[in-house]
Amino acid sequence: MVEKVLIANRGEIALRVARACRELGIACVAVYSTADADSAVVRFADEAVHIGPPAAARSYLHIPSIIGAALKTGADAIHPGYGFLSEDPYFAEICAEHGITFIGPPASVMEKMGNKATARQAMKEAGLPLLPGTIEPVATADEAQYVADDIGYPVIIKAAAGGGGRGMSVVNRREDLRRAYQMTRATAQAIFKDSNVYIERYLRTARHTEIQIVCDSLGDGIHLGERDCSVQRRHQKLIEEAPSIHLTPELRAAMGSAAVKGALSVGYTGAGTMEFLLDEEGRYWFMEMNTRIQVEHPVSEMVTGIDLIKEQIRVAQGQPLTHSQDEVRLTGHAIECRINAEDPARDFAPAAGRLEEFAPPGGPWTRVDSHCRPGWMVSPYYDSLIAKLIVWAPDRGEALDRMARALSEFRVNGPGMRTTIGFHQRVFAHPVFRSGDFYTDFIDRHMAG
Ligand code: MV4
């Protein structure tokens, strides 16, 4: 059994994990860089260990410091949150070598699904629908040309080691293919030290629809329905909602069982997400798997009533899932807005600084996951997410009105401080967003300027 969890993260997710530990009666250890010495999770946790200077490479990404903190405090498990070391199979392996439970899937599974080409191969074998494209990496420009001609344009070239939109290029015309192939390979080599790429048919009008799954170590898996994450800017999600208004119960059941089947086929354990594209005809296509808890997990919690972080901790201890698939019921509608310290007027440039005012909204069915408080210094060293605003309502229309109301209450001010609150207010006033009839190009198409 897990008695003490070390939280290898910072910000809102570290606090979220600490709260789950407290409710489970499990002790928790915060780790912090010099920039986070007086953070919310440091105040909340049972113990806190300084792990290094502000630069993440020397603190939250520095495996020896984190393992050292776990050994020193006697933590028997590590929750990696999202980002940082959460999808590093090498870190999961080091935890195992030290007898520490990594709260996530086995290292070998993280490795298989972390490579988007091998993930594609594994999910094809499990019978999931894949867009027309390659299974093996494409080794030469001649082969790329041959494959793309065969698929038909537009195609997308993706780095095998990529994911989340990094290292991809869309090719609209045959004459652009070779150059794009060479460029994507070079980019992939530079970012990931792995030049392997694969090619797929590119869907221009599709929705980003992802299925939340949880699997235990006894071989059971369930899904918690889907999230629509089509409102993205440069592959950063801005708004997520559950359920998607574009799925029928039958389609949801089909996508959900495909996701669970795919995960169980590779021996997955813990919480995870299968990303799909949903096309105009209501067909779904597997894109990639995320082997971590995601930023947007609260919308799934709000429509199912299931605490995903507690579930992660339970299954990591070898306990069975607390719910069968039949017991998972989707109720109402939840929406999340990511509130970032960024300036939408300056191309969403990060805007770090001190929060003189931080007054989050309240009221019915209004949840704010945040580590911020008045006087808190938003550091330029880390991700600009300062709060997640999540609302629930019986239906989408009421949820939209509730979010607009909550956004209008949210006050964040400080010298040089800019946030995405006003941008979200414009989105929630937009008739196309309100109609729900939009695709992954919503921001470019409707929010430009
Ligand atoms: C695609 C796609 C269309 N066709 N692949 C983006 C993140 C990563 N998980 C994969 N992504 C996409 N892959 C094919 N074959 C559309 C996206 C995509 C997207 C593309 C452009 C602008 C915004 C987007 C938002 C979500 C997904």
Side-chain angles (χ1 to χ4, degrees), residues 131 156 158 163-165 168 200-204 208 229-230 232 235 275 277 287-288 440-441:
L131 283 164
I156 184 165
K158 295 182 175 181
M168 354 187 288
E200 280 177 359
R201 156 78 52 74
Y202 181 68
L203 292 187
R204 213 178 279 294
H208 176 126
C229 309
S230 298
Q232 305 191 10
H235 304 299
E275 286 185 7
L277 284 174
M287 270 202 301
E288 56 188 71
T440 49
D441 63 358

Side-chain angles (χ1 to χ4, degrees), residues 246-289:
H246 305 287
L247 295 195
T248 60
E250 293 73 32
L251 185 51
R252 174 172 303 115
M255 288 178 76
S257 59
V260 170
K261 188 169 153 214
L264 292 178
S265 78
V266 294
Y268 198 85
T269 61
T273 300
M274 294 276 194
E275 286 185 7
F276 294 94
L277 284 174
L278 186 66
D279 70 20
E280 288 167 290
E281 281 109 277
R283 288 171 303 196
Y284 61 94
W285 310 95
F286 170 77
M287 270 202 301
E288 56 188 71
M289 183 176 198

Side-chain angles (χ1 to χ4, degrees), residues 228 231 239-246 332-335 391-403 427-428 430-438 442:
D228 185 303
V231 182
I239 300 170
E240 305 96 349
E241 56 183 297
S244 163
I245 60 171
H246 305 287
H333 200 91
I335 310 182
V391 300
W392 181 93
D395 62 46
R396 186 171 187 267
E398 274 192 68
L400 294 173
D401 295 342
R402 178 158 285 151
M403 182 61 85
V427 173
F428 278 76
H430 200 290
V432 171
F433 179 73
R434 295 190 72 91
S435 77
D437 192 15
F438 56 86
F442 174 79

Side-chain angles (χ1 to χ4, degrees), residues 72-86:
K72 183 173 120 178
T73 55
D76 44 13
I78 294 185
H79 195 301
Y82 52 70
F84 296 125
L85 297 168
S86 62

Side-chain angles (χ1 to χ4, degrees), residues 9-287:
N9 214 299
R10 64 174 305 282
E12 68 85 18
I13 193 65
L15 186 57
R16 171 73 189 84
V17 173
R19 285 173 166 148
C21 290
R22 183 70 43 84
E23 290 183 19
L24 286 169
I26 296 173
C28 60
V29 181
V31 295
Y32 62 94
S33 73
T34 308
D36 288 329
D38 192 25
S39 71
V41 71
V42 166
R43 290 182 179 190
F44 184 99
D46 298 288
E47 292 170 77
V49 181
H50 181 242
I51 51 165
R58 297 176 63 195
S59 50
Y60 300 106
L61 286 168
H62 194 247
I63 295 176
S65 303
I66 288 166
I67 297 290
L71 296 176
K72 183 173 120 178
T73 55
D76 44 13
I78 294 185
H79 195 301
Y82 52 70
F84 296 125
L85 297 168
S86 62
E87 294 185 276
D88 182 347
Y90 175 72
F91 178 60
E93 218 169 279
I94 302 280
C95 289
E97 280 168 15
H98 287 82
I100 300 165
T101 301
F102 175 81
I103 300 175
S108 60
V109 177
M110 285 167 70
E111 194 162 4
K112 181 178 278 183
M113 302 314 276
N115 182 298
K116 304 307 165 189
T118 55
R120 210 169 133 75
Q121 167 83 53
M123 293 307 104
K124 183 193 163 86
E125 284 166 17
L128 270 66
L130 302 188
L131 283 164
T134 59
I135 292 293
E136 299 290 324
V138 179
T140 66
D142 283 345
E143 192 191 336
Q145 184 77 75
Y146 178 84
V147 164
D149 289 351
D150 187 48
I151 296 170
Y153 297 86
V155 298
I156 184 165
I157 308 172
K158 295 182 175 181
R166 293 190 309 157
M168 354 187 288
S169 348
V170 176
V171 183
N172 291 309
R173 307 175 309 168
R174 184 175 203 273
E175 53 267 43
D176 299 333
L177 192 275
R178 279 167 191 272
R179 181 191 296 267
Y181 170 79
Q182 301 295 5
M183 289 269 291
T184 313
R185 269 188 95 88
T187 308
Q189 179 63 36
I191 310 180
F192 310 112
K193 311 275 171 269
D194 176 352
S195 64
N196 283 317
V197 298
Y198 62 100
I199 303 181
E200 280 177 359
R201 156 78 52 74
Y202 181 68
L203 292 187
R204 213 178 279 294
T205 35
R207 305 179 216 272
H208 176 126
T209 309
E210 56 184 36
I211 305 279
Q212 176 69 55
I213 58 137
V214 193
C215 302
D216 64 22
S217 57
L218 308 161
D220 268 338
I222 58 171
H223 71 86
L224 275 60
E226 75 286 355
R227 297 182 284 259
D228 185 303
C229 309
S230 298
V231 182
Q232 305 191 10
R233 192 193 149 272
R234 299 222 189 110
H235 304 299
Q236 286 283 49
K237 294 168 186 163
L238 295 171
I239 300 170
E240 305 96 349
E241 56 183 297
S244 163
I245 60 171
H246 305 287
L247 295 195
T248 60
E250 293 73 32
L251 185 51
R252 174 172 303 115
M255 288 178 76
S257 59
V260 170
K261 188 169 153 214
L264 292 178
S265 78
V266 294
Y268 198 85
T269 61
T273 300
M274 294 276 194
E275 286 185 7
F276 294 94
L277 284 174
L278 186 66
D279 70 20
E280 288 167 290
E281 281 109 277
R283 288 171 303 196
Y284 61 94
W285 310 95
F286 170 77
M287 270 202 301

